[in-house]
Amino acid sequence: MSEEIERKFLLNELPADIATWPQPAAILQGYLQKDQHKDLRIRKKGNKYTLTAKHGTGLVREENEQEIDKTLFDILWPFTAEARIEKLRYTRVIDEGEMVIDKYLGDLSGLLLMEVEFNDEQLARTYSPPLNFAKEVTDDPRYRNAALAAHGTPAI
Amino acid sequence: MSEEIERKFLLNELPADIATWPQPAAILQGYLQKDQHKDLRIRKKGNKYTLTAKHGTGLVREENEQEIDKTLFDILWPFTAEARIEKLRYTRVIDEGEMVIDKYLGDLSGLLLMEVEFNDEQLARTYSPPLNFAKEVTDDPRYRNAALAAHGTPAI
């Protein structure tokens, strides 16, 4: 089990230097369950399959992840039909921790979200993002992936 | 993937010779998802943990089962809070296939269901149960475990 300390920002555009970042990973994910307080997700990233339980909302969330095999993923996938997401994930290490930009595809095409995962809570509180962004959405439940998968892109 | 051919009966009482059957197994199970057409279940039976997807209703159902480890079971269990079942399962081999009697515990205490799993569909159609039973409930969706877990014992 691990705790995530992260802030989330809605971007207007990809960073100008995105071509110099490492190649993005194609992610396919679906939700087996989701409500206001917890969600249960499966994900395919390259040839790696994971199941992740998240509890809590906002800045600090508890996360419990385990790798699963393709057979189990294939059994579970039909149960995610109502809530799926496809995206390209750009990832870069920064001084404060890790910067992740998700470029959504499919129904959510056009949506760009940046998450910064911090090494500690103090860094999270004082951080100011270098990029041009529309607004911070850390505490906006409409921008949780489970909500995006179910309800689509929020009106700003 | 396998296909189950089974019929289900509501019993008034345990068979008189139940003491001569093999020892029953304690089963704890919970549903991650359930609707009219499919359900996704996890189960602990002794020290064995399984995840099972079922599609379809009635006499012939498609079933997809995989063993999982305790770690994954423990991650999934909190997501079954709304739909859990505890029961003792008596199992005996018979000429036509296998006879299973579930004695429900907890909220469903008092409920006794017998399932007969048949080696082929012809046997299933001609079978007549030797026991005193209240009624056949093969096609009654209220007696599916997922429904029992959510709504409790049906009124006859």
Side-chain angles (χ1 to χ4, degrees), chain A residues 3-7 59-60 116-121 124:
Chain A
E3 228 178 47
E4 279 191 326
I5 307 169
E6 60 185 34
R7 289 173 65 188
L59 188 63
V60 183
V116 184
E117 293 186 13
F118 298 95
N119 297 327
D120 66 56
E121 216 168 313

Side-chain angles (χ1 to χ4, degrees), chain A residues 32-33 66 69 72 79, chain B residues 32-33 39 66 69 72 79:
Chain A
L32 295 168
Q33 268 192 39
Q66 191 178 338
D69 60 23
L72 186 55
F79 290 88
Chain B
L32 295 167
Q33 267 192 40
D39 56 63
Q66 192 178 340
D69 60 24
L72 186 56
F79 291 88

Side-chain angles (χ1 to χ4, degrees), chain A residues 31-33 38-40 51-55 64-69 71-73 75-76 78-80, chain B residues 31-33 38-40 51-55 64-66 68-69 71-73 75-76 78-80:
Chain A
Y31 290 83
L32 295 168
Q33 268 192 39
K38 61 183 191 305
D39 55 64
L40 184 63
L51 179 144
T52 307
K54 295 194 184 194
H55 300 262
N64 216 328
E65 182 165 296
Q66 191 178 338
E67 196 166 337
I68 59 175
D69 60 23
T71 306
L72 186 55
F73 183 89
I75 292 175
L76 295 173
F79 290 88
T80 66
Chain B
Y31 290 82
L32 295 167
Q33 267 192 40
K38 62 183 189 306
D39 56 63
L40 185 61
L51 180 144
T52 306
K54 293 193 184 194
H55 300 262
N64 216 329
E65 182 165 294
Q66 192 178 340
I68 58 176
D69 60 24
T71 306
L72 186 56
F73 182 89
I75 291 175
L76 296 172
F79 291 88
T80 66

Side-chain angles (χ1 to χ4, degrees), chain B residues 1-2 13 26 28 33 43 47-48 56 65 71 74 83 97 103 108 110 113-114 145 148 156:
Chain B
M1 195 176 304
S2 69
E13 54 192 3
L28 188 63
Q33 267 192 40
R43 174 185 279 179
N47 289 319
K48 194 177 164 191
E65 182 165 294
T71 306
D74 289 342
K103 176 183 161 70
L108 293 164
L113 285 176
M114 172 175 73
N145 274 286
L148 292 171
I156 292 192

Side-chain angles (χ1 to χ4, degrees), chain B residues 47-151:
Chain B
N47 289 319
K48 194 177 164 191
Y49 302 87
T50 48
L51 180 144
T52 306
K54 293 193 184 194
H55 300 262
T57 48
L59 187 64
V60 183
R61 302 185 65 195
E62 187 184 283
E63 177 172 316
N64 216 329
E65 182 165 294
Q66 192 178 340
E67 197 165 337
I68 58 176
D69 60 24
K70 182 177 185 306
T71 306
L72 186 56
F73 182 89
D74 289 342
I75 291 175
L76 296 172
W77 187 246
F79 291 88
T80 66
E82 307 297 318
R84 292 177 178 167
I85 279 180
E86 201 179 342
K87 60 189 177 183
L88 286 178
R89 169 161 287 187
Y90 299 84
T91 305
R92 197 172 70 159
V93 175
I94 58 173
D95 289 344
E96 294 86 351
E98 192 176 56
M99 179 180 285
V100 173
I101 295 178
D102 285 337
K103 176 183 161 70
Y104 289 78
L105 307 174
D107 292 347
L108 293 164
S109 188
L111 181 63
L112 289 173
L113 285 176
M114 172 175 73
E115 280 182 3
V116 184
E117 294 185 14
F118 298 95
N119 297 328
D120 66 56
E121 216 168 312
Q122 178 59 26
L123 284 173
R125 298 199 185 281
T126 56
Y127 180 77
S128 169
L131 295 171
N132 181 23
F133 66 94
K135 60 171 179 173
E136 176 158 8
V137 295
T138 304
D139 294 312
D140 188 335
R142 299 175 303 160
Y143 286 92
R144 290 181 60 176
N145 274 286
L148 292 171
H151 308 301

